[in-house]
């Protein structure tokens, strides 16, 4: 039953009043990350590709042909597409990955961030999101004050809680309980 599992990918929103302001903030926050430290993480993520042989300030390299068949597919593809769409250098991608701990980075205005989340939700690609702000408390405050109202206006984010547990908020069924004799019984809660 698809409703029995909630898909909630991690996202790192970096929000600005304009797209340029958001990109400037991403660059400012990224400057706090040592790309060299992230390159080892990227090497694992990309199936062993050694990024230390590339110029950090050159465009992000196309490493698709260097990735082994056993390499992860979704995250490298996500970061390669981001690099291509935004014209990012290897340094900038390493900084974004460092800020987002490898999760999806969303850089833009409150409307752009809301649009992206709504697109994923309406396409049944996500039931919700794990928010991972790049900076606290500002990143969380910006999201709550600027993005949440837009999601509420679109009917995607609740305005009040109706349940008492996360499971109830997600509409997930209660787990079966072991009865001590090897049989399971669904929890009626």
């Amino acid at each position: 039953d698809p409703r029995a599992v909630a898909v909630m990918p991690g996202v790192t929103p970096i929000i600005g009043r304009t797209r340029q302001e958001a990109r400037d903030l991403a660059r400012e926050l990224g400057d706090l990350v040592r790309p060299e430290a992230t390159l080892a993480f990227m090497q694992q993520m990309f199936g062993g590709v050694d990024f230390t042989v590339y110029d950090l300030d050159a465009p992000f390299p196309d490493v698709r042909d260097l990735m082994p068949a056993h390499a992860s597919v979704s995250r490298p593809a996500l970061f390669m597409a981001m690099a291509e769409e935004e014209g990012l250098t290897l340094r900038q991608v390493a900084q974004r990955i460092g800020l987002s701990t490898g999760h999806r980075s969303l850089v833009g205005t409150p409307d752009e961030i809301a649009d992206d989340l709504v697109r994923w939700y309406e396409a049944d690609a996500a039931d919700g999101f794990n928010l991972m702000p790049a900076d606290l408390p500002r990143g969380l405050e910006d999201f709550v004050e600027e993005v949440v109202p837009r999601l509420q206006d679109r009917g995607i984010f609740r305005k009040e809680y109706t349940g008492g547990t996360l499971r109830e908020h997600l509409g997930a069924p209660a787990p079966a309980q072991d009865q001590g004799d090897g049989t399971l019984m669904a929890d009626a809660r």
Side-chain angles (χ1 to χ4, degrees), residues 6-122:
V7 176
M8 299 179 62
V11 295
T12 300
I14 300 175
I15 306 164
R17 288 174 294 194
T18 65
R19 180 179 293 156
Q20 187 57 51
E21 184 180 290
R23 286 185 176 170
D24 290 346
L25 178 58
R27 192 171 12 267
E28 178 185 334
L29 292 170
D31 286 343
L32 301 173
V33 174
R34 285 188 27 242
E36 299 80 11
T38 307
L39 293 180
F41 176 68
M42 290 173 61
Q43 184 171 356
Q44 286 182 316
M45 183 190 305
F46 282 78
V49 173
D50 182 4
F51 286 98
T52 63
V53 301
Y54 297 99
D55 179 357
L56 281 171
D57 296 310
F60 189 80
D62 184 348
V63 296
R64 284 178 276 238
D65 294 339
L66 301 176
M67 294 173 56
H70 72 275
S72 173
V73 176
S74 61
R75 287 209 177 156
L78 175 77
F79 287 111
M80 286 187 287
M82 177 186 72
E84 187 176 328
E85 289 168 13
E86 296 183 39
L88 301 176
T89 66
L90 174 56
R91 178 184 307 276
Q92 291 168 320
V93 171
Q95 290 171 333
R96 290 269 186 94
I97 290 173
L99 285 173
S100 66
T101 61
H103 290 84
R104 216 164 139 248
S105 177
L106 302 175
V107 179
T109 66
D111 284 319
E112 290 170 332
I113 304 260
D115 289 345
D116 189 273
L117 297 176
V118 167
R119 237 184 337 273
W120 274 56
Y121 180 78
E122 289 180 345

